[in-house]
Amino acid sequence: MKAALLALATAGVGAEIISVPLVHKPKTLEEFRAASARRAAGGRAIQVNAHGLPSVALTDLEDAEYYGEVEIGTPAQKFTVIYDTGSSNLWVPAKGCSNCKDGTPRYDSQSSSTYQKDGRSFAIQYGTGSCNGFISKDTTTIGGLAISAFEFGEVTTEAQDVFGTAPFDGILGMGVPAAAVDKVPMPMAQLVAQGKVQHNIFAFYLSSGGKSGSTLTLGGTDPSFHDGDFKYVPMAIASHLLPYWLVSAKDIKVGGQSTSSCNWLTGCYMVVDTGTSVLAGPPSAVNTLLSKIGNVSSDCSNAQSLPEISITMGGNDFALGPDFYV
């Protein structure tokens, strides 16, 4: 049998050479980005969208809270966090947390081969509560992209009335660097510095009305979530003193009519905050807004007949229909 096979193989040596045509299909820009992201991830599983950008899937809880996963340590310890543009620190419950809710995962530094001790005290105050602990460093993975030696808070006590019943374990701040407690680096800046993404750009798509698909995109924007061109609004001058993504609106309108709520010189300062689920403001401005909107039925049955709210920023009116503000 072996001899027969050998004879068959050698019999073709003197035969005519045959050329087989090959077709080269160049990679698209999105495919190049996806390949680059996979190399940057160093073999970790990475969530890449159709346009080659890493992303984090977010869960929508009744249009009030949007949260997704983050991994800390090696091997990875998974936590559910609010990706919050209103703050600038990552924190999760520590193994030694004295009052964190039962059943929540807790970070165990002794179980991670990439843990590095820092030890600085950590305390952060939110509008609704606070938490305390200390700073540690470990590999932190967002959307499949690993940040080496990322500084985060291990929380040992938290405001139980606020976080004790929350459906998430911690918070990952995507706010401005100046707001970071202990001046820890921002996640996007570290992703760029460590070569994991090219641009310090992130984008949120927050669905509503029970629809799925809420997503945080890292390193750029996802065209599948928007139509037309982006409108740009500069940061307010006051953002140098107030460390938020702070913008200034020239006017707030209801049904196309001005509420006259904004100062002629500074306008209405507004914080772009993915961790806040309501429109909030000074009582005088909010009361004027409510009076112009009119009565809202307790069962929301008249919602569709209510007027549209529009916020004027950067020379453009950004509309909010009653399906968004009721």
Side-chain angles (χ1 to χ4, degrees):
M1 184 65 179
K2 289 182 179 179
L5 287 174
L6 180 60
L8 180 61
T10 56
V13 171
E16 182 181 354
I17 297 175
I18 299 174
S19 298
V20 178
L22 302 176
V23 177
H24 174 225
K25 182 180 179 181
K27 286 185 174 69
T28 64
L29 179 59
E30 289 75 16
E31 289 170 333
F32 271 118
R33 286 174 175 168
S36 176
R38 284 193 296 271
R39 288 193 297 272
R44 290 175 180 259
I46 180 171
Q47 295 91 49
V48 178
N49 63 23
H51 301 277
L53 293 172
S55 61
V56 178
L58 302 177
T59 298
D60 172 15
L61 180 65
E62 298 179 349
D63 296 353
E65 294 170 329
Y66 296 83
Y67 48 86
E69 281 191 349
V70 65
E71 298 178 348
I72 304 176
T74 307
Q77 301 175 42
K78 292 186 177 182
F79 300 90
T80 298
V81 294
I82 295 283
Y83 281 85
D84 176 29
T85 60
S87 64
S88 301
N89 286 83
L90 165 62
W91 65 264
V92 295
K95 183 180 179 180
C97 184
S98 62
N99 70 338
C100 294
K101 62 179 181 288
D102 294 335
T104 189
R106 303 188 183 200
Y107 173 73
D108 182 359
S109 60
Q110 294 183 343
S111 297
S112 175
S113 62
T114 46
Y115 161 75
Q116 298 178 38
K117 183 178 180 179
D118 183 296
R120 285 174 291 167
S121 62
F122 171 76
I124 190 166
Q125 177 70 52
Y126 298 97
T128 54
S130 63
C131 55
N132 302 273
F134 55 91
I135 297 292
S136 292
K137 300 178 183 180
D138 208 336
T139 297
T140 300
T141 303
I142 304 172
L145 300 179
I147 307 172
S148 300
F150 189 69
E151 299 172 20
F152 66 98
E154 286 194 55
V155 164
T156 54
T157 59
E158 64 181 20
Q160 206 165 28
D161 58 331
V162 177
F163 302 115
T165 58
F168 54 87
D169 309 315
I171 293 176
L172 195 156
M174 303 285 286
V176 298
V181 173
D182 295 322
K183 304 303 178 185
V184 300
M186 294 294 93
M188 286 304 304
Q190 288 299 290
L191 286 172
V192 173
Q194 297 183 20
K196 304 304 172 70
V197 296
Q198 190 173 1
H199 303 292
N200 190 342
I201 299 172
F202 61 89
F204 281 88
Y205 172 74
L206 304 179
S207 63
S208 60
K211 297 178 181 177
S212 60
S214 296
T215 302
L216 165 61
T217 302
L218 307 172
T221 61
D222 188 338
S224 65
F225 290 132
H226 69 89
D227 295 318
D229 297 326
F230 282 101
K231 305 292 192 301
Y232 291 88
V233 178
M235 297 280 286
I237 295 176
S239 63
H240 295 291
L241 301 175
L242 301 171
Y244 296 102
W245 296 121
L246 188 72
V247 294
S248 178
K250 183 178 180 180
D251 197 6
I252 302 174
K253 302 173 185 175
V254 177
Q257 300 297 313
S258 174
T259 60
S260 301
S261 300
C262 299
N263 182 284
W264 69 271
L265 181 61
T266 59
C268 289
Y269 289 138
M270 298 182 175
V271 176
V272 182
D273 181 5
T274 56
T276 299
S277 57
V278 296
L279 296 175
S284 58
V286 172
N287 288 337
T288 299
L289 193 64
L290 293 175
S291 67
K292 290 184 177 297
I293 290 172
N295 179 63
V296 180
S297 300
S298 58
D299 60 358
C300 300
S301 58
N302 70 330
Q304 292 307 312
S305 65
L306 297 175
E308 183 180 82
I309 297 174
S310 62
I311 300 172
T312 305
M313 292 188 291
N316 298 283
D317 284 346
F318 297 92
L320 291 174
D323 53 328
F324 282 99
Y325 70 74
V326 172

